[in-house]
Amino acid sequence: MNTTPLLRVENLTRRFGGLVAVNNLQLSVQQGELIGLIGPNGAGKTTLFNLLMGLVKPSAGEIYLAGERITGQKPHNIARLGMVKTFQNVALFPEMTVLDNVLTGGLLRLSLNDARDFACENLAKVGMAHIADKRAADLTFPEKALVEMARALCTQPKLVLLDEVMAALNHSEMDQILALIRKLRNEEGLTFIVIEHHMRAIMNLCERIFVLSFGQKIAEGTPQDISRNQDVIAAYLGNDMEAGVHA
Ligand SMILES: Nc1ncnc2c1ncn2[C@@H]1O[C@H](COP(=O)(O)OP(=O)(O)O)[C@@H](O)[C@H]1O
Ligand SMILES: [Mg+2]
């Protein structure tokens, strides 16, 4: 079957001065896929997410969401079309309550009252209804990650970009997030692209992995393919890549 990919990236390039942070990238993601995006520090992963969301302008190339060209569109428009991203360093408003933080996601499409109801619904969905009145500044790392997820869900996304949301979590906290991602894909058909340094999480969750190194896609395939790929192993010298596969 030849369906339109949910996301297609063609020849995408972003230069910062002399540095090519994202270099002539091609990608295609189908609706409902769980995609991992890995690569050493500075490989261009976050820049790719910023390009996709319209937060950074491409130097060259095109981006299509569900067949619609979104290259150069404003972040707000791109969010309306169904793409959302969490931030690498969790960016909740610290002095606001959890509920108020989460409902900001809903204001993209809903009135304040509806956004509040929807925020409660999504907090319940991620298992965080009981902390709705807490100050965001007082949350633990796993609570922050789940609240960020709830806020993202309030935008009613098709494609969710997660930038290291599990960075500060232990194994069991990470498993809770992984189960939530799987559930959202299985029950609601959401599509995820997940940047994560923790190889065990990526290998367990993702069906397909893209590997970036110095802005280029050096490999693409199943977790098994990727773990055996010599270029990937070379890019990761000293990393726990192999150990992660068997964890
Ligand atoms: N706004 C910017 N200005 C200049 N250089 C940048 C900017 N954003 C990212 N870079 C550079 O682009 C490269 C890729 O960075 P980044 O996308 O953050 O990598 P990753 O997320 O894979 O660690 C790095 O060398 C980084 O220093
Ligand atoms: Mg990054």
Side-chain angles (χ1 to χ4, degrees), residues 16 19 21 40-47:
F16 292 113
L19 177 88
N41 269 331
K45 305 179 296 295
T46 296
T47 302

Side-chain angles (χ1 to χ4, degrees), residues 39-47 49 88 163-164 195 197:
N41 269 331
K45 305 179 296 295
T46 296
T47 302
F49 274 10
Q88 179 162 2
D163 196 348
E164 299 194 32
I195 298 175
H197 274 300

Side-chain angles (χ1 to χ4, degrees), residues 153-173:
L153 293 176
C154 280
T155 67
Q156 304 178 42
K158 298 187 183 86
L159 175 58
V160 183
L161 310 177
L162 299 179
D163 196 348
E164 299 194 32
V165 287
M166 291 172 271
L169 309 189
N170 68 30
H171 274 193
S172 74
E173 293 160 352

